[in-house]
């Protein structure tokens, strides 16, 4: 898995160096309009890979709060479309919105991993995993 993600990680690290943003960060850093409690424990690696670790013994699924966009489950290929949240009028305060949540299978030892469908670098992860024999 580490080797199969090498190309994406190289590009994400280069982007992080250019932008100054941390390579791995909580989802709410990139989507501050979402309620933090609903994305707790979720991390973005680069701009396009979202990971929700499995942290409880015996847990076989996790709830994931998704930011706007089209997200694809890395291991299954299932797509989840989350509509954009309109920007508030200038000077108007908006309460954080509830992130759409999905329940994802997370067999023991495998986190829930999704990527943005519109990012060609992230989409190549799925093909790299297939080539490495890590997908069925």
């Amino acid at each position: 898995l580490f080797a199969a993600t090498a190309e994406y990680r190289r590009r994400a690290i280069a982007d992080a160096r250019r932008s100054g943003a941390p390579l791995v960060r909580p989802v709410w850093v990139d989507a501050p309009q979402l309620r933090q409690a609903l994305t707790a424990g979720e991390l973005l690696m680069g701009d396009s890979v979202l990971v929700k670790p499995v942290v409880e013994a015996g847990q076989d699924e996790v709830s994931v709060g998704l930011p706007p966009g089209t997200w694809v489950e890395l291991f299954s290929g299932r797509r989840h479309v989350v509509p954009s949240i309109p920007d508030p009028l200038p000077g108007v305060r908006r309460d954080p919105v509830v992130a759409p949540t999905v329940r994802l299978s997370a067999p023991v030892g495998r986190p829930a991993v999704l990527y943005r469908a519109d990012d060609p670098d992230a989409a190549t992860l799925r093909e790299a995993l297939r080539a490495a024999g890590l997908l069925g």
Side-chain angles (χ1 to χ4, degrees), residues 27-82:
V27 169
W28 56 262
V29 170
D30 285 12
Q33 73 277 26
L34 301 179
R35 289 194 177 147
Q36 293 179 19
L38 295 173
T39 60
E42 297 175 20
L43 300 169
L44 283 172
M45 182 175 76
D47 293 328
S48 299
V49 174
L50 187 148
V51 177
K52 174 78 178 238
V54 176
V55 295
E56 295 179 27
Q59 188 175 7
D60 62 357
E61 66 178 19
V62 292
S63 226
V64 179
L66 296 174
T70 300
W71 294 90
V72 180
E73 293 178 42
L74 186 62
F75 295 103
S76 73
R78 277 187 22 208
R79 298 171 79 82
H80 305 276
V81 179
V82 179

Short mmCIF file of all heavy atoms in Angstrom, two decimals, residues 27-82:
data_model
loop_
_atom_site.label_atom_id
_atom_site.label_comp_id
_atom_site.label_asym_id
_atom_site.label_seq_id
_atom_site.Cartn_x
_atom_site.Cartn_y
_atom_site.Cartn_z
N VAL A 27 -10.06 17.49 8.38
CA VAL A 27 -10.95 17.90 7.28
C VAL A 27 -11.43 19.32 7.48
O VAL A 27 -11.54 20.09 6.53
CB VAL A 27 -12.14 16.92 7.15
CG1 VAL A 27 -13.20 17.45 6.22
CG2 VAL A 27 -11.64 15.57 6.68
N TRP A 28 -11.71 19.72 8.73
CA TRP A 28 -12.27 21.05 8.96
C TRP A 28 -11.32 22.17 8.58
O TRP A 28 -11.75 23.30 8.40
CB TRP A 28 -12.77 21.21 10.40
CG TRP A 28 -11.75 20.93 11.47
CD1 TRP A 28 -11.60 19.77 12.16
CD2 TRP A 28 -10.76 21.83 11.97
NE1 TRP A 28 -10.57 19.88 13.07
CE2 TRP A 28 -10.03 21.14 12.96
CE3 TRP A 28 -10.40 23.14 11.68
CZ2 TRP A 28 -8.98 21.73 13.66
CZ3 TRP A 28 -9.35 23.71 12.37
CH2 TRP A 28 -8.67 23.01 13.35
N VAL A 29 -10.03 21.90 8.42
CA VAL A 29 -9.11 22.95 7.97
C VAL A 29 -9.46 23.38 6.54
O VAL A 29 -9.47 24.57 6.23
CB VAL A 29 -7.64 22.47 8.04
CG1 VAL A 29 -6.70 23.44 7.35
CG2 VAL A 29 -7.22 22.25 9.49
N ASP A 30 -9.79 22.41 5.69
CA ASP A 30 -10.16 22.73 4.31
C ASP A 30 -11.64 23.02 4.14
O ASP A 30 -12.05 23.59 3.15
CB ASP A 30 -9.79 21.57 3.38
CG ASP A 30 -8.30 21.50 3.11
OD1 ASP A 30 -7.53 22.19 3.81
OD2 ASP A 30 -7.89 20.76 2.20
N ALA A 31 -12.47 22.59 5.10
CA ALA A 31 -13.92 22.79 5.00
C ALA A 31 -14.43 23.37 6.32
O ALA A 31 -15.15 22.70 7.06
CB ALA A 31 -14.61 21.48 4.67
N PRO A 32 -14.05 24.62 6.65
CA PRO A 32 -14.43 25.19 7.95
C PRO A 32 -15.94 25.40 8.11
O PRO A 32 -16.42 25.58 9.22
CB PRO A 32 -13.68 26.53 7.98
CG PRO A 32 -13.42 26.86 6.56
CD PRO A 32 -13.27 25.54 5.85
N GLN A 33 -16.67 25.32 7.00
CA GLN A 33 -18.13 25.49 7.08
C GLN A 33 -18.82 24.25 7.65
O GLN A 33 -19.99 24.29 7.96
CB GLN A 33 -18.71 25.85 5.71
CG GLN A 33 -18.73 24.72 4.71
CD GLN A 33 -17.43 24.48 3.96
OE1 GLN A 33 -16.35 24.81 4.42
NE2 GLN A 33 -17.53 23.91 2.78
N LEU A 34 -18.09 23.15 7.80
CA LEU A 34 -18.67 21.92 8.35
C LEU A 34 -18.49 21.87 9.87
O LEU A 34 -17.50 22.36 10.40
CB LEU A 34 -18.00 20.69 7.73
CG LEU A 34 -18.10 20.56 6.23
CD1 LEU A 34 -17.37 19.31 5.78
CD2 LEU A 34 -19.54 20.53 5.78
N ARG A 35 -19.43 21.26 10.54
CA ARG A 35 -19.30 21.09 11.99
C ARG A 35 -18.16 20.12 12.28
O ARG A 35 -18.11 19.02 11.75
CB ARG A 35 -20.60 20.55 12.57
CG ARG A 35 -21.69 21.58 12.55
CD ARG A 35 -22.84 21.17 13.43
NE ARG A 35 -23.81 22.24 13.41
CZ ARG A 35 -25.10 22.06 13.50
NH1 ARG A 35 -25.59 20.85 13.64
NH2 ARG A 35 -25.92 23.09 13.48
N GLN A 36 -17.25 20.56 13.12
CA GLN A 36 -16.06 19.76 13.41
C GLN A 36 -16.40 18.42 14.03
O GLN A 36 -15.72 17.43 13.77
CB GLN A 36 -15.12 20.54 14.31
CG GLN A 36 -14.53 21.75 13.64
CD GLN A 36 -13.62 22.52 14.57
OE1 GLN A 36 -13.15 22.01 15.57
NE2 GLN A 36 -13.37 23.77 14.22
N ALA A 37 -17.44 18.35 14.83
CA ALA A 37 -17.77 17.09 15.51
C ALA A 37 -18.11 15.99 14.52
O ALA A 37 -17.88 14.82 14.78
CB ALA A 37 -18.94 17.31 16.46
N LEU A 38 -18.65 16.35 13.35
CA LEU A 38 -19.05 15.34 12.37
C LEU A 38 -17.88 14.82 11.54
O LEU A 38 -18.00 13.80 10.87
CB LEU A 38 -20.15 15.89 11.46
CG LEU A 38 -21.45 16.20 12.19
CD1 LEU A 38 -22.42 16.89 11.27
CD2 LEU A 38 -22.05 14.92 12.74
N THR A 39 -16.79 15.55 11.55
CA THR A 39 -15.61 15.10 10.81
C THR A 39 -14.47 14.75 11.75
O THR A 39 -13.33 14.61 11.33
CB THR A 39 -15.16 16.17 9.79
OG1 THR A 39 -14.84 17.38 10.49
CG2 THR A 39 -16.22 16.44 8.75
N ALA A 40 -14.79 14.58 13.03
CA ALA A 40 -13.76 14.25 14.03
C ALA A 40 -13.05 12.95 13.66
O ALA A 40 -13.68 11.97 13.29
CB ALA A 40 -14.39 14.13 15.41
N GLY A 41 -11.74 12.97 13.76
CA GLY A 41 -10.96 11.77 13.46
C GLY A 41 -10.65 11.58 12.00
O GLY A 41 -9.89 10.70 11.63
N GLU A 42 -11.24 12.40 11.13
CA GLU A 42 -10.98 12.29 9.69
C GLU A 42 -9.80 13.18 9.33
O GLU A 42 -9.63 14.26 9.88
CB GLU A 42 -12.20 12.74 8.89
CG GLU A 42 -13.40 11.88 9.13
CD GLU A 42 -14.64 12.41 8.42
OE1 GLU A 42 -14.52 13.21 7.47
OE2 GLU A 42 -15.73 12.02 8.84
N LEU A 43 -9.00 12.71 8.38
CA LEU A 43 -7.83 13.47 7.95
C LEU A 43 -7.79 13.56 6.44
O LEU A 43 -8.20 12.63 5.75
CB LEU A 43 -6.56 12.76 8.44
CG LEU A 43 -6.43 12.61 9.95
CD1 LEU A 43 -5.28 11.66 10.28
CD2 LEU A 43 -6.23 13.95 10.61
N LEU A 44 -7.28 14.68 5.96
CA LEU A 44 -6.97 14.81 4.53
C LEU A 44 -5.48 14.64 4.36
O LEU A 44 -4.69 15.19 5.13
CB LEU A 44 -7.37 16.19 4.01
CG LEU A 44 -8.83 16.43 3.75
CD1 LEU A 44 -9.07 17.91 3.44
CD2 LEU A 44 -9.32 15.58 2.61
N MET A 45 -5.09 13.86 3.36
CA MET A 45 -3.69 13.77 2.97
C MET A 45 -3.62 14.47 1.62
O MET A 45 -4.21 13.99 0.64
CB MET A 45 -3.21 12.33 2.83
CG MET A 45 -1.73 12.28 2.46
SD MET A 45 -1.03 10.63 2.42
CE MET A 45 -1.68 10.00 0.89
N GLY A 46 -2.95 15.61 1.60
CA GLY A 46 -3.00 16.43 0.39
C GLY A 46 -4.41 17.01 0.27
O GLY A 46 -5.14 17.12 1.26
N ASP A 47 -4.78 17.37 -0.94
CA ASP A 47 -6.10 17.98 -1.15
C ASP A 47 -7.18 16.97 -1.47
O ASP A 47 -8.36 17.31 -1.45
CB ASP A 47 -6.03 18.98 -2.32
CG ASP A 47 -5.16 20.17 -1.98
OD1 ASP A 47 -5.12 20.56 -0.80
OD2 ASP A 47 -4.52 20.72 -2.91
N SER A 48 -6.82 15.73 -1.78
CA SER A 48 -7.79 14.84 -2.39
C SER A 48 -7.99 13.48 -1.76
O SER A 48 -8.81 12.71 -2.25
CB SER A 48 -7.42 14.65 -3.86
OG SER A 48 -7.44 15.89 -4.52
N VAL A 49 -7.26 13.14 -0.73
CA VAL A 49 -7.44 11.83 -0.11
C VAL A 49 -7.92 12.02 1.32
O VAL A 49 -7.28 12.71 2.11
CB VAL A 49 -6.14 11.00 -0.15
CG1 VAL A 49 -6.30 9.70 0.63
CG2 VAL A 49 -5.74 10.70 -1.58
N LEU A 50 -9.08 11.44 1.64
CA LEU A 50 -9.69 11.54 2.96
C LEU A 50 -9.61 10.17 3.63
O LEU A 50 -9.95 9.16 3.01
CB LEU A 50 -11.15 11.97 2.82
CG LEU A 50 -11.89 12.29 4.10
CD1 LEU A 50 -12.92 13.39 3.83
CD2 LEU A 50 -12.58 11.09 4.66
N VAL A 51 -9.13 10.14 4.87
CA VAL A 51 -8.94 8.89 5.59
C VAL A 51 -9.68 8.97 6.93
O VAL A 51 -9.58 9.96 7.65
CB VAL A 51 -7.45 8.62 5.86
CG1 VAL A 51 -7.25 7.36 6.68
CG2 VAL A 51 -6.68 8.56 4.56
N LYS A 52 -10.41 7.92 7.25
CA LYS A 52 -11.04 7.78 8.57
C LYS A 52 -10.53 6.47 9.14
O LYS A 52 -10.91 5.38 8.72
CB LYS A 52 -12.57 7.75 8.44
CG LYS A 52 -13.30 7.47 9.74
CD LYS A 52 -13.37 8.70 10.64
CE LYS A 52 -14.13 8.42 11.92
NZ LYS A 52 -15.26 9.27 12.14
N PRO A 53 -9.62 6.54 10.12
CA PRO A 53 -9.07 5.33 10.71
C PRO A 53 -10.11 4.54 11.51
O PRO A 53 -11.08 5.09 12.00
CB PRO A 53 -7.98 5.85 11.65
CG PRO A 53 -7.78 7.27 11.32
CD PRO A 53 -9.04 7.75 10.67
N VAL A 54 -9.87 3.26 11.63
CA VAL A 54 -10.66 2.39 12.50
C VAL A 54 -9.90 2.35 13.82
O VAL A 54 -8.74 1.98 13.85
CB VAL A 54 -10.77 0.97 11.90
CG1 VAL A 54 -11.50 0.05 12.85
CG2 VAL A 54 -11.47 1.03 10.56
N VAL A 55 -10.58 2.75 14.90
CA VAL A 55 -9.87 2.86 16.17
C VAL A 55 -10.42 1.97 17.27
O VAL A 55 -9.84 1.92 18.35
CB VAL A 55 -9.85 4.33 16.65
CG1 VAL A 55 -9.05 5.20 15.71
CG2 VAL A 55 -11.25 4.88 16.82
N GLU A 56 -11.52 1.30 17.02
CA GLU A 56 -12.10 0.44 18.05
C GLU A 56 -11.97 -1.03 17.66
O GLU A 56 -12.23 -1.39 16.51
CB GLU A 56 -13.57 0.78 18.26
CG GLU A 56 -13.78 2.17 18.82
CD GLU A 56 -15.25 2.50 19.00
OE1 GLU A 56 -16.06 1.57 19.19
OE2 GLU A 56 -15.58 3.70 18.96
N ALA A 57 -11.60 -1.86 18.63
CA ALA A 57 -11.50 -3.30 18.39
C ALA A 57 -12.86 -3.84 17.96
O ALA A 57 -13.89 -3.48 18.52
CB ALA A 57 -11.02 -4.01 19.65
N GLY A 58 -12.87 -4.65 16.92
CA GLY A 58 -14.10 -5.27 16.45
C GLY A 58 -14.94 -4.39 15.53
O GLY A 58 -15.96 -4.84 15.02
N GLN A 59 -14.53 -3.15 15.33
CA GLN A 59 -15.29 -2.24 14.47
C GLN A 59 -15.15 -2.66 13.02
O GLN A 59 -14.05 -2.92 12.54
CB GLN A 59 -14.74 -0.82 14.67
CG GLN A 59 -15.52 0.26 14.01
CD GLN A 59 -14.95 1.65 14.35
OE1 GLN A 59 -13.90 1.77 14.97
NE2 GLN A 59 -15.64 2.68 13.93
N ASP A 60 -16.28 -2.74 12.28
CA ASP A 60 -16.20 -3.14 10.88
C ASP A 60 -16.80 -2.12 9.93
O ASP A 60 -16.90 -2.34 8.73
CB ASP A 60 -16.82 -4.52 10.66
CG ASP A 60 -18.30 -4.54 10.99
OD1 ASP A 60 -18.84 -3.51 11.44
OD2 ASP A 60 -18.91 -5.60 10.80
N GLU A 61 -17.22 -0.96 10.48
CA GLU A 61 -17.63 0.16 9.63
C GLU A 61 -17.45 1.45 10.41
O GLU A 61 -17.36 1.45 11.63
CB GLU A 61 -19.08 -0.01 9.15
CG GLU A 61 -20.13 0.05 10.20
CD GLU A 61 -21.54 -0.07 9.61
OE1 GLU A 61 -21.71 -0.53 8.47
OE2 GLU A 61 -22.47 0.34 10.31
N VAL A 62 -17.36 2.55 9.66
CA VAL A 62 -17.19 3.87 10.26
C VAL A 62 -18.14 4.85 9.59
O VAL A 62 -18.56 4.65 8.46
CB VAL A 62 -15.74 4.39 10.14
CG1 VAL A 62 -14.77 3.60 10.97
CG2 VAL A 62 -15.29 4.43 8.69
N SER A 63 -18.46 5.91 10.32
CA SER A 63 -19.26 7.00 9.78
C SER A 63 -18.30 8.09 9.32
O SER A 63 -17.40 8.46 10.08
CB SER A 63 -20.15 7.56 10.88
OG SER A 63 -21.44 7.73 10.44
N VAL A 64 -18.47 8.57 8.11
CA VAL A 64 -17.57 9.58 7.55
C VAL A 64 -18.39 10.79 7.12
O VAL A 64 -19.35 10.65 6.37
CB VAL A 64 -16.81 9.01 6.33
CG1 VAL A 64 -15.89 10.06 5.73
CG2 VAL A 64 -16.02 7.77 6.72
N GLY A 65 -18.00 11.98 7.62
CA GLY A 65 -18.62 13.23 7.19
C GLY A 65 -17.85 13.76 5.99
O GLY A 65 -16.64 13.93 6.06
N LEU A 66 -18.55 13.97 4.89
CA LEU A 66 -17.88 14.34 3.64
C LEU A 66 -18.03 15.83 3.31
O LEU A 66 -19.14 16.36 3.36
CB LEU A 66 -18.45 13.52 2.48
CG LEU A 66 -18.23 12.02 2.57
CD1 LEU A 66 -18.97 11.33 1.44
CD2 LEU A 66 -16.75 11.71 2.52
N PRO A 67 -16.93 16.48 2.92
CA PRO A 67 -17.02 17.84 2.42
C PRO A 67 -17.63 17.83 1.02
O PRO A 67 -17.75 16.77 0.39
CB PRO A 67 -15.57 18.31 2.36
CG PRO A 67 -14.72 17.18 2.76
CD PRO A 67 -15.57 16.00 3.04
N PRO A 68 -18.02 19.01 0.50
CA PRO A 68 -18.61 19.05 -0.84
C PRO A 68 -17.67 18.46 -1.91
O PRO A 68 -16.45 18.56 -1.80
CB PRO A 68 -18.80 20.55 -1.09
CG PRO A 68 -18.92 21.14 0.28
CD PRO A 68 -18.00 20.31 1.14
N GLY A 69 -18.27 17.86 -2.91
CA GLY A 69 -17.53 17.27 -4.02
C GLY A 69 -18.01 15.85 -4.28
O GLY A 69 -18.92 15.36 -3.64
N THR A 70 -17.37 15.21 -5.24
CA THR A 70 -17.65 13.81 -5.53
C THR A 70 -16.50 12.99 -4.97
O THR A 70 -15.35 13.20 -5.34
CB THR A 70 -17.81 13.57 -7.04
OG1 THR A 70 -18.89 14.36 -7.51
CG2 THR A 70 -18.09 12.10 -7.33
N TRP A 71 -16.82 12.10 -4.06
CA TRP A 71 -15.84 11.27 -3.38
C TRP A 71 -16.02 9.82 -3.79
O TRP A 71 -17.13 9.34 -3.93
CB TRP A 71 -16.00 11.40 -1.86
CG TRP A 71 -15.67 12.78 -1.40
CD1 TRP A 71 -16.53 13.84 -1.27
CD2 TRP A 71 -14.38 13.27 -1.04
NE1 TRP A 71 -15.85 14.94 -0.86
CE2 TRP A 71 -14.53 14.63 -0.70
CE3 TRP A 71 -13.12 12.67 -0.97
CZ2 TRP A 71 -13.45 15.41 -0.29
CZ3 TRP A 71 -12.06 13.46 -0.56
CH2 TRP A 71 -12.22 14.81 -0.23
N VAL A 72 -14.91 9.12 -4.00
CA VAL A 72 -14.92 7.72 -4.42
C VAL A 72 -14.20 6.90 -3.35
O VAL A 72 -13.10 7.25 -2.93
CB VAL A 72 -14.20 7.55 -5.78
CG1 VAL A 72 -14.22 6.09 -6.21
CG2 VAL A 72 -14.82 8.44 -6.84
N GLU A 73 -14.85 5.83 -2.91
CA GLU A 73 -14.21 4.93 -1.96
C GLU A 73 -13.06 4.21 -2.67
O GLU A 73 -13.25 3.61 -3.72
CB GLU A 73 -15.21 3.90 -1.43
CG GLU A 73 -16.30 4.50 -0.58
CD GLU A 73 -17.29 3.46 -0.12
OE1 GLU A 73 -16.86 2.34 0.28
OE2 GLU A 73 -18.49 3.76 -0.16
N LEU A 74 -11.88 4.31 -2.10
CA LEU A 74 -10.69 3.76 -2.73
C LEU A 74 -10.79 2.26 -2.95
O LEU A 74 -10.46 1.76 -4.02
CB LEU A 74 -9.46 4.09 -1.88
CG LEU A 74 -8.11 3.70 -2.46
CD1 LEU A 74 -7.84 4.44 -3.76
CD2 LEU A 74 -7.01 3.98 -1.46
N PHE A 75 -11.26 1.51 -1.96
CA PHE A 75 -11.24 0.06 -2.07
C PHE A 75 -12.44 -0.52 -2.81
O PHE A 75 -12.32 -1.56 -3.43
CB PHE A 75 -11.10 -0.57 -0.68
CG PHE A 75 -9.78 -0.26 -0.04
CD1 PHE A 75 -9.70 0.69 0.97
CD2 PHE A 75 -8.62 -0.88 -0.46
CE1 PHE A 75 -8.48 1.01 1.54
CE2 PHE A 75 -7.40 -0.58 0.12
CZ PHE A 75 -7.33 0.37 1.12
N SER A 76 -13.59 0.16 -2.78
CA SER A 76 -14.78 -0.40 -3.43
C SER A 76 -15.15 0.30 -4.74
O SER A 76 -15.85 -0.27 -5.57
CB SER A 76 -15.99 -0.33 -2.50
OG SER A 76 -16.45 1.01 -2.37
N GLY A 77 -14.73 1.56 -4.92
CA GLY A 77 -15.10 2.31 -6.11
C GLY A 77 -16.46 2.99 -6.02
O GLY A 77 -16.87 3.68 -6.96
N ARG A 78 -17.17 2.83 -4.90
CA ARG A 78 -18.48 3.50 -4.74
C ARG A 78 -18.31 5.01 -4.70
O ARG A 78 -17.38 5.52 -4.09
CB ARG A 78 -19.16 3.04 -3.45
CG ARG A 78 -19.88 1.75 -3.59
CD ARG A 78 -20.71 1.35 -2.37
NE ARG A 78 -21.09 2.43 -1.48
CZ ARG A 78 -21.32 2.29 -0.18
NH1 ARG A 78 -21.20 1.11 0.38
NH2 ARG A 78 -21.66 3.30 0.56
N ARG A 79 -19.24 5.72 -5.36
CA ARG A 79 -19.19 7.18 -5.43
C ARG A 79 -20.22 7.80 -4.49
O ARG A 79 -21.30 7.28 -4.32
CB ARG A 79 -19.47 7.65 -6.85
CG ARG A 79 -18.44 7.16 -7.85
CD ARG A 79 -18.88 7.45 -9.28
NE ARG A 79 -18.64 8.82 -9.68
CZ ARG A 79 -17.48 9.29 -10.10
NH1 ARG A 79 -16.44 8.49 -10.18
NH2 ARG A 79 -17.35 10.55 -10.46
N HIS A 80 -19.83 8.96 -3.94
CA HIS A 80 -20.72 9.73 -3.06
C HIS A 80 -20.64 11.19 -3.53
O HIS A 80 -19.56 11.78 -3.52
CB HIS A 80 -20.28 9.63 -1.60
CG HIS A 80 -20.16 8.22 -1.12
ND1 HIS A 80 -21.25 7.51 -0.66
CD2 HIS A 80 -19.10 7.37 -1.07
CE1 HIS A 80 -20.86 6.30 -0.32
NE2 HIS A 80 -19.56 6.19 -0.56
N VAL A 81 -21.78 11.74 -3.93
CA VAL A 81 -21.83 13.12 -4.40
C VAL A 81 -22.39 14.01 -3.30
O VAL A 81 -23.49 13.76 -2.79
CB VAL A 81 -22.69 13.25 -5.68
CG1 VAL A 81 -22.75 14.70 -6.14
CG2 VAL A 81 -22.13 12.35 -6.78
N VAL A 82 -21.62 15.03 -2.92
CA VAL A 82 -22.03 15.96 -1.87
C VAL A 82 -22.14 17.35 -2.51
O VAL A 82 -21.16 17.86 -3.05
CB VAL A 82 -20.99 15.99 -0.72
CG1 VAL A 82 -21.41 16.97 0.35
CG2 VAL A 82 -20.79 14.60 -0.17
#
